[in-house]
Amino acid sequence: MLLDLAYPPVCLNCDAPTATPDTLCPKCFAALRPITAPLCPRLGLPFAVSLGPEALSAEALADPPPFGRARAAVIYGEVARTVVSRLKYGDRPELARFCAGLMAGAGHELWAGEPLLVPVPLHPARQRERRYNQSAELARALGRSTGLQVDTDLVRRTRKTRQQVGLSGDGRQRNVAGAFAVHPDILVRARGRRVVLVDDVYTTGATVKAVTRTLLKAGVEAVDVVTFARVVIGADLPI
Ligand SMILES: [Zn+2]
């Protein structure tokens, strides 16, 4: 295409030329840290050594999450942080395509049984400010790559919460408690299907846990979570 000649593809992180669009250059790609097995079957935390398929992480045992399984494509490191911040604040659909490609692989165990993909919502006022809900963009791109149905209206944020950045674990939990409501037709829209929540970064999980509780209370039977990146203590950057 003429357009491709005029705008040769560049790395989504460092803007170096790339052979194909919507991707990272080899150097940045190598700096991403994919999360692969062995991992905690509940929280998706990577294990240094395999403890068997049933072994849970200490975190999952100490504080069992309301969702069934969480999976993330990469550890939240430097390259992932740049990609996420560009995804959040810029109108860059190619970033959502790239992230969703990796999320489709990382979440492969979650796609059986045709679950419904549901993005973590922004408050309508914040979405107007930003013009853009990065989680909805990720969910749509993930829907295209997995063939799964996306429902961006199943959950909405009813309270304008503070940004989670800078809050402690407990503070994050209090900040989002009761901040979500479901669509009045939820049981028709979900039709007995499992929901997979889609978000950009899993930090303490406070937000996805709050959305999960709201969905379970409304009669959804099971909820899983998929994110592009995940903070892993000892391997993460402060956010
Ligand atoms: Zn690069």
Side-chain angles (χ1 to χ4, degrees):
M1 258 170 72
L2 253 173
L3 209 65
D4 291 336
L5 292 174
Y7 299 99
V10 294
C11 172
L12 298 175
N13 183 54
C14 75
D15 297 331
T18 55
T20 54
D22 306 345
T23 191
L24 297 174
C25 72
K27 195 166 145 258
C28 292
F29 204 88
L32 272 187
R33 298 157 70 193
I35 296 177
T36 52
L39 42 82
C40 168
R42 292 295 299 280
L43 291 177
L45 283 166
F47 287 145
V49 291
S50 177
L51 305 168
E54 305 292 316
L56 297 179
S57 58
E59 289 86 340
L61 290 169
D63 184 16
F67 52 75
R69 296 164 289 182
R71 295 292 180 269
V74 298
I75 290 175
Y76 189 70
E78 220 165 299
V79 173
R81 178 166 67 176
T82 311
V83 169
V84 166
S85 72
R86 288 182 168 190
L87 176 72
K88 221 175 234 179
Y89 300 106
D91 197 1
R92 303 270 305 268
E94 69 276 24
L95 286 159
R97 285 196 291 271
F98 169 75
C99 296
L102 298 185
M103 290 160 77
H108 67 96
E109 297 156 280
L110 312 180
W111 312 147
E114 304 218 355
L116 192 57
L117 299 176
V118 174
V120 169
L122 286 178
H123 188 273
R126 182 154 288 149
Q127 182 150 349
R128 273 195 301 277
E129 272 161 40
R130 274 208 208 146
R131 297 185 308 114
Y132 195 75
N133 176 4
Q134 75 280 4
S135 303
E137 296 306 313
L138 288 175
R140 287 191 196 100
L142 192 56
R144 281 190 292 271
S145 67
T146 57
L148 294 169
Q149 197 191 331
V150 180
D151 190 338
T152 56
D153 299 319
L154 197 71
V155 186
R156 61 201 164 81
R157 205 180 279 243
T158 50
R159 195 152 54 71
K160 201 175 174 188
T161 50
R162 270 184 65 183
Q163 300 245 28
Q164 297 279 68
V165 175
L167 293 178
S168 68
D170 280 356
R172 283 172 181 246
Q173 220 162 320
R174 279 196 301 275
N175 189 35
V176 290
F180 300 95
V182 297
H183 193 284
D185 295 334
I186 183 163
L187 296 179
V188 178
R189 294 172 86 105
R191 285 189 299 277
R193 278 183 296 174
R194 197 159 40 85
V195 164
V196 178
L197 286 175
V198 181
D199 207 358
D200 52 355
V201 184
Y202 186 110
T203 308
T204 63
T207 306
V208 287
K209 285 174 189 170
V211 179
T212 298
R213 289 192 188 99
T214 305
L215 287 167
L216 295 175
K217 218 186 275 177
V220 170
E221 273 178 33
V223 179
D224 292 315
V225 176
V226 69
T227 60
F228 169 62
R230 190 194 205 293
V231 170
V232 176
I233 304 298
D236 58 316
L237 292 169
I239 72 164

